[in-house]
Each structure stands twice: as C-alpha cells, then as structure tokens.
Amino acid sequence: MTEMETAGYTAKLDTKTLIQSTAREVNVGYRTYRGVDLRSLVEELLARSTSKVKPSMHFNIPSIACEDIAPKPGTKELTVAGMIEDLNAVMSDKFSVVSDVGDCLYAGMSLKTDIFIAPGYYSSMGFGVPAGIGAQVANPKRRSIILVGDGGFQMTGMEISTAVKLGLNPIVIVFNNASYAMLRFIDQKRDYYDLPRWDYCAIAKPSAAKACKPPPVMTSKRH
C-alpha cells in the first residue's frame, strides 16, 4: 500500500486489523515495533505458518546498500540531506513547499512544514514551478519554496517569468542531476534518460528582467 497508488481514497483499510511494514519498523494495529525490518517479518511469518509453503514459493528480498547522502566531515560538498537540513533550519509558517515528482518529492517529505503540495497521486512531471506560483497567488502571505528536478524544470520552468509578471518571489531549487533519475532507478541506464545541463542561474536573469515597453502603434488616415 502506498499513497502513490491508492490516492488515499480507494483503499479503506481498518487500522485495527492492519499490519504495515517498512524497512525500519512494523506497525500492528496501533502498536509500533521499531527496528523490525521487512525481511525479519516475512521470515517469521513463514516460520509460523500452519500451511505447507513450498520452497519454490519462497522469495528473496533484495538487499540495497544504504546510500551515504550526508556530506563528508570537513567538506563543503552539497548533498540532498544537507540541503534538507538547512531548509528545515529556516522553515516556518512564512513558506509553502511545492514539489515536482521524482527525487525532489521524496526528499521534500522530510521537510518540517504544514503545507506540502505535490502531484503524488498521478506523478505529473512539470507540476512544480507553475503550482508554486499558483500557491503563492492563493496565499500571498506565504512565499513558495519550489523543489523541482531538472527534467520537470525543462518542461515548465520558464513559468518563472509569470512569477515576475505577478510580482512574486518564489524560491526555486533545481535538483540538477542531468537525468530522469527516477526512471533510471526503476529501469536501468539508458541513453534517453540523460538530460542536457542548462545554466539555470543564467536563465533566471533574463526571466527577471523588466518587460520592455511595447512600441507605439502607428496609425494612418486616408485622405
């Protein structure tokens, strides 16, 4: 069960009779058992099963090495974990967080904010920047912090010109990894998942320039 698939409305599961397992804990009803991983739970259930489970029906849970996403001590390396930590340090009710899909969405879930807007149900890439502008229009008291991958930004990122037109000041954070990283993770390395690197800082300058006044309209009268 994930909110990405059920959208929170198709699955009506009673918590009292529900077992939920993650990589770090197991929830049985309203009780939480931390430190019990999915592999241990499955192996214990198989061991206690009264039915005869054929060996061919057993499955192996692949082990994925934990990725070190924190910066190395003594370095100024920019990492996702470090960025989320810095954002949490300044997070307040002055901001709304709006995220596109992909790595930025899953990283953004660690932010301590009471407003987090994302297209989790339908995974619509290109949502972030336009939605962030819309969120600030809807609630001008909250400045939008927009999390977007380079793939999503290359689709709709130029909508930042609309923010300038409306006098808005969203903070746009681009996860620039030169690829459709989530697709590569789900599938495998393929050339068509690669993305060209844009100079995103340079793009911001002309987008923020004041609009030129239109030339005067020339009219003529017949005599």
Side-chain angles (χ1 to χ4, degrees):
M1 180 187 67
T2 68
E3 288 302 294
M4 193 73 72
E5 295 169 356
T6 68
Y9 56 82
T10 56
K12 300 297 183 182
L13 304 176
D14 187 359
T15 303
K16 293 183 294 185
T17 58
L18 182 65
I19 298 177
Q20 298 184 72
S21 178
T22 67
R24 296 181 178 85
E25 64 182 31
V26 173
N27 293 283
V28 181
Y30 296 103
R31 297 181 181 273
T32 299
Y33 301 91
R34 303 189 187 282
V36 181
D37 59 17
L38 179 60
R39 180 189 296 274
S40 300
L41 174 66
V42 172
E43 290 177 350
E44 187 66 23
L45 289 175
L46 289 174
R48 292 173 177 268
S49 175
T50 57
S51 62
K52 295 181 179 180
V53 181
K54 297 179 180 179
S56 60
M57 294 177 63
H58 285 210
F59 60 91
N60 294 322
I61 303 174
S63 59
I64 302 176
C66 294
E67 182 182 359
D68 186 9
I69 59 175
K72 297 178 181 178
T75 66
K76 295 183 178 180
E77 181 182 357
L78 180 64
T79 66
V80 174
M83 181 184 67
I84 296 299
E85 183 178 350
D86 289 341
L87 283 173
N88 275 329
V90 299
M91 197 61 64
S92 68
D93 59 3
K94 296 180 180 179
F95 301 103
S96 298
V97 177
V98 182
S99 178
D100 215 285
V101 297
D103 290 346
C104 55
L105 170 59
Y106 297 107
M109 289 180 178
S110 298
L111 290 174
K112 299 175 182 178
T113 176
D114 59 337
I115 294 183
F116 186 86
I117 304 171
Y121 299 159
Y122 303 106
S123 299
S124 304
M125 186 176 289
F127 172 90
V129 176
I133 295 171
Q136 196 164 342
V137 170
N139 190 352
K141 293 182 179 180
R142 289 205 177 209
R143 188 178 185 185
S144 288
I145 295 179
I146 301 171
L147 308 179
V148 58
D150 46 354
F153 188 91
Q154 289 187 19
M155 289 182 176
T156 58
M158 294 313 297
E159 286 297 328
I160 56 175
S161 61
T162 302
V164 176
K165 176 183 176 182
L166 298 176
L168 306 176
N169 59 346
I171 300 171
V172 182
I173 300 175
V174 180
F175 287 58
N176 183 12
N177 52 22
S179 70
Y180 293 112
M182 290 301 298
L183 295 177
R184 176 171 292 170
F185 178 80
I186 295 171
D187 188 7
Q188 55 183 301
K189 183 175 177 59
R190 298 184 188 275
D191 293 342
Y192 47 76
Y193 291 152
D194 296 336
L195 288 173
R197 288 193 183 274
W198 289 6
D199 189 340
Y200 298 99
C201 294
I203 290 174
K205 187 174 181 180
S207 301
K210 292 183 178 179
C212 299
K213 293 183 179 180
V217 178
M218 303 300 292
T219 59
S220 61
K221 295 181 180 180
R222 286 189 176 185
H223 297 285

